[in-house]
Amino acid sequence: MMMHFDLAQTAPAAAPVPCQDASYCQQCDVRARAICGTLEDDERAALNRLGRRVMVQAGQTVMWEGDDATIVANVIEGTLKLSASTGDGREQIVGVVYPSDFIGRPFGRSTPHSVTALTDARLCLFTRGAFDGFARNHPELGHRLLQRTLDDLDRARAWMVLLGRKNAREKIATFLLDMSHRLAGEGAGPLDSFALPLSRQQVADVLGLTIETVSRQMTDMKRAGIIALPNRRTVDILDRDQLACCAEAA
Amino acid sequence: MMMHFDLAQTAPAAAPVPCQDASYCQQCDVRARAICGTLEDDERAALNRLGRRVMVQAGQTVMWEGDDATIVANVIEGTLKLSASTGDGREQIVGVVYPSDFIGRPFGRSTPHSVTALTDARLCLFTRGAFDGFARNHPELGHRLLQRTLDDLDRARAWMVLLGRKNAREKIATFLLDMSHRLAGEGAGPLDSFALPLSRQQVADVLGLTIETVSRQMTDMKRAGIIALPNRRTVDILDRDQLACCAEAA
DNA sequence: GACTGTCCTTGTCCTCTGTCAAAAGGGGGC
DNA sequence: GCCCCCTTTTGACAGAGGACAAGGACAGTC
């Protein structure tokens, strides 16, 4: 089911294939927020010529941990997970990315984690070589990428506190609050009701727990009236204060 | 004992105090590896004029979690920890930095984690405003900072796998192997004997464990003949293969 | 050399989370 | 609407690691 459909194969470094006309970026949903947002129109057109739009189905893996880093991309639409594994196959999700986020490992030999679509997704894909070259010649782009990477690093480190020092209840509560913020659109406040893009197993893989513990804790919070779970994927936050309280100390 | 000696106070943004002459960088131990390494001589001299050398004593905290991000620095000598805490005071060390590493949060409002010296240390300190401005005007510096930040992010994510999915034995073994590599000098192979810059409590804080578990696991590995612990801070790796084996599956 | 404070080790118990197993629930296909 | 499969929930149990407590070792001081 999880077919290894290697996008890199279909994007040979020698001949990138722009599949839309140069005005494509004008209508891009995420242009303002993505790293290309502050480029001048002609620069963005030049970058656009290096890339191509790609659809990815839910479950499809875009890059594999340890593979040569041959592609990078902007996320236009959808949600994807970044995951890494121990030698014997235990998985940890090390990041979840949303529209306007950047994926891949520029300026590096190999990809340190896999990237897999959680929902159907649309990407703006570049070969790494072409992107690296463009970024070296366009400091403004490099600077946006730096700011984004610094933000990602802050988020990763905040998550290390969660993984190392929080108990199951705190982990779940923190996760739900994080989701309610990250799934909200540009400038919008946190959502009180949202569809999780993750299965229970994937939630467990984000939090360093087992699926059973995730399920039990969520059921407990439902019984406590803090959240409602109208169906498998939907979460309603009924008592945000209480949830925030759970997130810091159980 | 942990005095709040605020370095930022002694480095007013209005009047940075270069405390050495402009040729100082010429003798800098870490110049080649630090982010300033690829600057032209005159550019480095200009950067040098913005900064100043600072000594920090073991135990002293250079920046505090949540404070305004007013300073950044290169580490010239010594080891420091980056740490963050939960609301109720449980601490997680989110990074350990060594000579030539960069600390602080450029292009950001506040510092997401504390920075505390583990050993006596020497820093090359800049006010953030001055550094940010210089970096914006010197893409080469920005690019080096980007590469370093990408590396830090990879390391942070690898550590997330450890925190979320490894057991105590695997954590300790991974940590010791990591130390034996990171404490080795430029280009040198991993060390088979080294002095830990961390106390047992700090090792616990890096690994998301308690001090007792750290102590027990290290004692067990000593009894198994994998390592020797001639004194509190020294670690000898007697059987690296076995240790590597422990790091992946206990 | 004795003392004292801190750090580390060891012991005991307990609890949280993982493991294994089985039942229940939902969604998609027919 | 019904069925089947997969996901999720629930249950029972076990074990790893945490909490608490006490003892031991080491460094610095007097």
Side-chain angles (χ1 to χ4, degrees), chain A residues 38 159 166 194:
Chain A
T38 51
W159 217 249
K166 291 192 175 183
F194 54 88

Side-chain angles (χ1 to χ4, degrees), chain B residues 22-120:
Chain B
S23 71
Y24 184 86
C25 290
Q26 298 302 329
Q27 305 123 37
C28 179
D29 297 334
V30 300
R31 191 185 59 182
R33 287 178 292 151
I35 58 170
C36 38
T38 51
L39 291 176
E40 299 296 330
D41 284 348
D42 58 335
E43 294 174 322
R44 186 158 48 241
L47 180 59
N48 184 50
R49 258 174 262 127
L50 300 177
R52 60 199 189 91
R53 255 57 53 185
V54 169
M55 296 291 306
V56 184
Q57 288 188 314
Q60 195 176 343
T61 294
V62 179
M63 307 176 207
W64 297 80
E65 181 180 359
D67 271 12
D68 288 349
T70 56
I71 54 171
V72 299
N74 276 312
V75 179
I76 299 173
E77 191 183 350
T79 310
L80 301 91
K81 66 167 183 172
L82 317 180
S83 61
S85 300
T86 61
D88 59 338
R90 286 165 285 173
E91 179 171 322
Q92 176 67 45
I93 294 180
V94 297
V96 180
V97 295
Y98 302 89
S100 86
D101 284 340
F102 182 84
I103 56 179
R105 178 58 166 88
F107 310 113
R109 299 210 130 270
S110 71
T111 306
H113 44 71
S114 302
V115 179
T116 304
L118 297 171
T119 63
D120 288 349

